[in-house]
Amino acid sequence: MTAAWLAAELVLVADRDAAPGAPIRLAASRCSACGRCSFPATGACAWCGAPGSDPVPLSRGTAVAATAVLHRTPGAVVEVPFVVALARFGQAGLDVLGRVPRAADPAAVPAGTPLRVVAESLPDGRLHYAFAVAQ
Amino acid sequence: MSVIIAGVGLHPFGRFPLSVEELARVAATEALADSGVAYADVDLTIVANVGEGMAKAQRIAGRLGATGRPVISVESACASGAAALLAGRDAIESGRAEVVLCLGVEKTPRGFIAGAGFEPWQEASGLGVTPVYFALQAQELLAATGGTVQDLAAVSVKNHGHGVLNPNAMYRSPVTAEQVLQSKMVCPPLTLLMLCAPNEGAAAVVLMSAGQAGRRSITRPVTVRAVALATRSPGDWFVPAPSRLSQVRSSPTLTAAAAAYQEAGLGPNDLDLVECQDTDAASELIAYADLRLCAPGDEVKLLRSGDTRIGGRIPVNPSGGLLSKGEPLGASGLGQVHELVVQLRGQAGHRQVSGARAGLAHVMGAGHVSAVTILAAA
């Protein structure tokens, strides 16, 4: 058992023992009725309300757009500044928001940049998902 | 049955050493006087507010008198004022009420707007930040339209230029593009002067049936032609959703605008002015296409044409918009209605849109709530 997760339900059970920096998979869901995906995974479909769904792992995406947070916001445990990107996961048809902690500025994550989902250690010791520019 | 706006009132937007009840009382008293209605004649009071607690509507309206009549509260984030107008219009159309007071008021805490529906994990990990959403929308808009940060600055320059002419605005100094671009960077490409400031204020609207308006000889009545409210469809993305579908791009504003145009029997070409939700400079440009003032992709072209300035073909935010007025959440939607009514009556002074006969107000906020109101001179 590694450190506690900020929100364990966002990460596949099999990846919850990952070390900081290691690749992980996000736990999205695909609706059995309408076929659309949701993240975070939902019991009932976020779009059509149907109850049944199958798990969908998200591991590799590409940047759609990026910005940065330069000033600390209420409730945040992370240090500023940091880059935030919207990553597109093509097979799931989902765009997901995440931090890119190692990017110096948004220009380092232009649209189309390949991104990988990784475990990130937060300053309070908990783990959370983040994006890393894939080599 | 047509519903008439018989009176409007406003407490200026800004920061004041006054209670929320006092801000509301000032606006309500002005609207009642403007319409010639005593509070004892109001059948229903609807209070729009986000931040106050339990029984807030009764506490706020209690300053106007104890009439024993129904007082209710509506909350729909930035669209709260439009939600109040929707409920008031429906109460009159249904015959349940003849005279309704819609009263929006807010004392928003300083700084980033908290409590916008984010999960604790979003806030802790730095993702629960409303300007991030606006900044990413701005990046996508610039990429799709060929616009630049100069265009974003131009929106702020335009609206602050209008705000100079509005005695009720919080910021009444003109700004230059250089000042906008050199102000503090918040979330690239958005600088502080491209974002509206949460603040305080109140706005009130007296609605009545056309029959009442006739009996009371209301002068210069304005007709509520449409009020439409929409929430998230699968193609939409806004605060606080951590993800969105990749393929469909839509907006609750498109949905609300389509419903409002249909209800009003008017189209974008019939409008003389628009007040829209310029939470940030890019949000105004996005609203241009969502409200069908231009085709998608032509937002920057419309801005550069000068048509959205006072004196142009379709002035947008002649009041100065939220960028100049600031945004008291519960009051901002009815504040837009106040501006439309003043304009449609020809009482807007130096910022008057000449010959204004029909106008549209648009609010949008957390929870993917968007509302579109269309008013016309009766």
Side-chain angles (χ1 to χ4, degrees), chain A residues 6 10 36-37 39-40 47 64-71 73 75-77 82 86 88 93-95 97 99 128-129, chain B residues 112 121 123-127 129 132-133 135-136 139-140 184-188 232-234 237 242-246:
Chain A
L6 172 59
L10 303 178
R36 289 176 288 202
C37 289
F39 175 80
W47 313 115
V64 177
T67 184
V69 175
L70 306 182
H71 309 283
T73 52
V77 301
F82 56 86
L86 197 55
R88 178 154 297 173
L94 276 180
D95 298 347
L97 208 53
R99 276 160 41 86
H128 193 54
Y129 81 87
Chain B
F112 286 110
W121 68 262
E123 291 190 337
S125 63
L127 297 175
V129 181
V132 160
Y133 289 74
L136 291 170
Q139 300 279 22
E140 291 196 289
K184 189 169 77 169
M185 183 60 77
V186 177
C187 288
R232 193 179 194 185
S233 299
W237 185 61
S243 71
R244 68 180 189 188
L245 292 174
S246 304

Side-chain angles (χ1 to χ4, degrees), chain B residues 203-246:
Chain B
V205 173
V206 175
L207 299 175
M208 58 179 63
S209 62
Q212 273 283 339
R215 286 194 289 282
R216 290 173 178 270
S217 305
I218 298 296
T219 53
R220 286 180 290 201
V222 168
T223 305
V224 179
R225 295 290 294 267
V227 191
L229 191 144
T231 59
R232 193 179 194 185
S233 299
D236 305 340
W237 185 61
F238 204 70
V239 178
S243 71
R244 68 180 189 188
L245 292 174
S246 304

Side-chain angles (χ1 to χ4, degrees), chain A residues 67-72 81 105-106, chain B residues 112 131 135 139 149 152 179-195:
Chain A
T67 184
V69 175
L70 306 182
H71 309 283
R72 193 151 196 162
D105 57 57
Chain B
F112 286 110
Q139 300 279 22
V149 290
L152 298 180
Q179 285 173 311
V180 174
L181 293 169
Q182 285 163 19
S183 63
K184 189 169 77 169
M185 183 60 77
V186 177
C187 288
L190 300 178
T191 64
L192 192 63
L193 288 178
M194 294 178 192
L195 286 152

Side-chain angles (χ1 to χ4, degrees), chain B residues 46-333:
Chain B
I46 305 174
V47 174
N49 171 270
V50 174
E52 303 297 317
M54 188 190 289
K56 57 192 175 187
Q58 292 73 19
R59 171 162 55 89
I60 289 163
R63 288 291 183 94
L64 302 172
T67 63
R69 303 284 177 77
V71 173
I72 62 171
S73 171
V74 297
E75 193 281 302
S76 294
C78 305
S80 295
L85 197 71
L86 179 83
R89 190 273 316 266
D90 288 354
I92 291 173
E93 283 195 339
S94 72
R96 295 276 300 177
E98 288 266 300
V99 181
V100 174
L101 173 65
C102 297
L103 177 54
V105 64
E106 202 74 48
K107 277 181 84 76
T108 319
R110 290 174 191 273
F112 286 110
I113 293 175
F118 292 113
E119 297 288 337
W121 68 262
Q122 290 175 286
E123 291 190 337
S125 63
L127 297 175
V129 181
T130 49
V132 160
Y133 289 74
F134 307 138
L136 291 170
Q137 286 191 146
Q139 300 279 22
E140 291 196 289
L141 177 90
L142 296 183
T145 60
T148 68
V149 290
Q150 293 287 346
D151 295 304
L152 298 180
V155 174
S156 291
V157 170
K158 171 181 75 74
N159 290 359
H160 280 284
H162 292 168
V164 168
L165 307 172
N166 184 354
N168 293 314
M170 184 180 194
Y171 302 108
R172 297 200 60 206
S173 302
V175 298
T176 64
E178 290 67 33
Q179 285 173 311
V180 174
L181 293 169
Q182 285 163 19
S183 63
K184 189 169 77 169
M185 183 60 77
V186 177
C187 288
L190 300 178
T191 64
L192 192 63
L193 288 178
M194 294 178 192
L195 286 152
C196 83
N199 64 355
E200 306 171 12
V205 173
V206 175
L207 299 175
M208 58 179 63
S209 62
Q212 273 283 339
R215 286 194 289 282
R216 290 173 178 270
S217 305
I218 298 296
T219 53
R220 286 180 290 201
V222 168
T223 305
V224 179
R225 295 290 294 267
V227 191
L229 191 144
T231 59
R232 193 179 194 185
S233 299
D236 305 340
W237 185 61
F238 204 70
V239 178
S243 71
R244 68 180 189 188
L245 292 174
S246 304
Q247 293 308 318
V248 203
R249 285 278 67 81
S250 177
S251 154
T253 298
L254 273 173
T255 311
Y261 284 132
Q262 184 176 15
E263 186 181 319
L266 298 172
N269 291 331
D270 300 316
L271 302 174
D272 300 304
L273 73 152
V274 168
E275 287 281 310
C276 79
Q277 178 86 30
D278 56 335
T279 304
D280 65 284
S283 290
E284 173 166 319
L285 297 174
I286 291 164
Y288 288 178
D290 284 354
L291 296 172
R292 310 210 310 250
L293 307 181
C294 69
D298 287 348
E299 296 90 339
V300 167
K301 195 171 134 193
L302 177 59
L303 174 76
R304 290 178 183 173
S305 74
D307 279 346
T308 58
R309 289 198 296 259
I310 294 174
R313 182 176 56 81
I314 177 72
V316 176
N317 287 320
S319 69
L322 306 179
L323 288 169
S324 310
K325 291 185 295 187
E327 189 185 15
L329 303 178
S332 67

Side-chain angles (χ1 to χ4, degrees), chain A residues 42-118:
Chain A
T42 49
C45 175
W47 313 115
C48 76
S53 67
D54 298 310
V56 172
L58 310 178
S59 58
R60 288 174 181 277
T62 55
V64 177
T67 184
V69 175
L70 306 182
H71 309 283
R72 193 151 196 162
T73 52
V77 301
V78 293
E79 301 294 331
V80 292
F82 56 86
V83 171
V84 176
L86 197 55
R88 178 154 297 173
F89 296 89
Q91 288 189 326
L94 276 180
D95 298 347
V96 177
L97 208 53
R99 276 160 41 86
V100 194
R102 289 177 180 275
D105 57 57
V109 194
T113 303
L115 296 172
R116 195 173 63 176
V117 184
V118 296

